Amino acid sequence: MIWSSDDVARDSVRRTAAGLTPAGVDEAVAEAATRERETQEALRSPSGREPEPYEWDLEVLAERWAAKHVEWRRIQALMNASGWAAYDPSKDTQGSAWAQEREARRAGFLEQQAAHWQQRQDAKDELQTEVWLTAPAGRRIRALAARARLSPDQIVAQLAEHAVIGEDGTVSVPAFTPS
């Protein structure tokens, strides 16, 4: 699951801002504004050098700092309007709603992943095969399938499910009604 730059900024700023005073938030707003400006300038003026293998993508970094700047300004405005002495994430209804939304998306994604892996695990136990039968055996299978209103592969699968191996190694299929 990939979070957007807004999601990353909201989560990061919310954790960092916990317990900060208005003065601390003001400093964070100023730093975010500076970082946003610096990354935008770096993005506009290419250096001409090849980026390092583990270096941040400047577009992503600029987008993240812009999102952090917006989130810091939102918290700053919230604190000024509310008169809080320190930022408390639990009192921030908008931030809490966004955090719950992110967590719900994450939980949904994890459920999908678990279902996908379970499906793959179940598929390991299945067998898909192509069987070439003689003409008489093929006609018998098709006749049985038509009589039971099933497809020929469903009849073959049910025959295999009901097959038993005797003590002497012989394979037989007891009488059953296809369903």
PDB file of all heavy atoms in Angstrom, residues 63 74 126 131:
ATOM      1  N   GLU A  63       7.275  17.452  -3.190  1.00  0.00           N
ATOM      2  CA  GLU A  63       5.852  17.215  -2.914  1.00  0.00           C
ATOM      3  C   GLU A  63       5.626  16.961  -1.423  1.00  0.00           C
ATOM      4  O   GLU A  63       4.664  17.461  -0.835  1.00  0.00           O
ATOM      5  CB  GLU A  63       5.410  15.999  -3.741  1.00  0.00           C
ATOM      6  CG  GLU A  63       3.928  15.781  -3.797  1.00  0.00           C
ATOM      7  CD  GLU A  63       3.597  14.609  -4.707  1.00  0.00           C
ATOM      8  OE1 GLU A  63       3.884  14.692  -5.914  1.00  0.00           O
ATOM      9  OE2 GLU A  63       3.064  13.611  -4.189  1.00  0.00           O
ATOM     10  N   ARG A  74      -1.865  24.154   9.026  1.00  0.00           N
ATOM     11  CA  ARG A  74      -3.189  23.774   9.533  1.00  0.00           C
ATOM     12  C   ARG A  74      -3.157  23.637  11.048  1.00  0.00           C
ATOM     13  O   ARG A  74      -4.027  24.134  11.758  1.00  0.00           O
ATOM     14  CB  ARG A  74      -3.647  22.454   8.890  1.00  0.00           C
ATOM     15  CG  ARG A  74      -5.085  22.062   9.281  1.00  0.00           C
ATOM     16  CD  ARG A  74      -5.421  20.644   8.869  1.00  0.00           C
ATOM     17  NE  ARG A  74      -4.743  19.635   9.655  1.00  0.00           N
ATOM     18  CZ  ARG A  74      -5.114  19.241  10.883  1.00  0.00           C
ATOM     19  NH1 ARG A  74      -6.157  19.787  11.469  1.00  0.00           N
ATOM     20  NH2 ARG A  74      -4.429  18.321  11.528  1.00  0.00           N
ATOM     21  N   GLU A 126      -4.549 -27.407  -5.371  1.00  0.00           N
ATOM     22  CA  GLU A 126      -5.370 -27.802  -6.519  1.00  0.00           C
ATOM     23  C   GLU A 126      -4.489 -28.408  -7.606  1.00  0.00           C
ATOM     24  O   GLU A 126      -3.296 -28.155  -7.672  1.00  0.00           O
ATOM     25  CB  GLU A 126      -6.099 -26.583  -7.089  1.00  0.00           C
ATOM     26  CG  GLU A 126      -7.134 -26.008  -6.151  1.00  0.00           C
ATOM     27  CD  GLU A 126      -7.792 -24.756  -6.710  1.00  0.00           C
ATOM     28  OE1 GLU A 126      -7.414 -24.315  -7.811  1.00  0.00           O
ATOM     29  OE2 GLU A 126      -8.663 -24.219  -6.026  1.00  0.00           O
ATOM     30  N   VAL A 131      -6.383 -33.994 -19.814  1.00  0.00           N
ATOM     31  CA  VAL A 131      -6.438 -35.446 -19.962  1.00  0.00           C
ATOM     32  C   VAL A 131      -6.875 -35.785 -21.387  1.00  0.00           C
ATOM     33  O   VAL A 131      -7.868 -35.251 -21.879  1.00  0.00           O
ATOM     34  CB  VAL A 131      -7.448 -36.052 -18.948  1.00  0.00           C
ATOM     35  CG1 VAL A 131      -7.530 -37.556 -19.118  1.00  0.00           C
ATOM     36  CG2 VAL A 131      -7.062 -35.699 -17.537  1.00  0.00           C
TER      37      VAL A 131
END
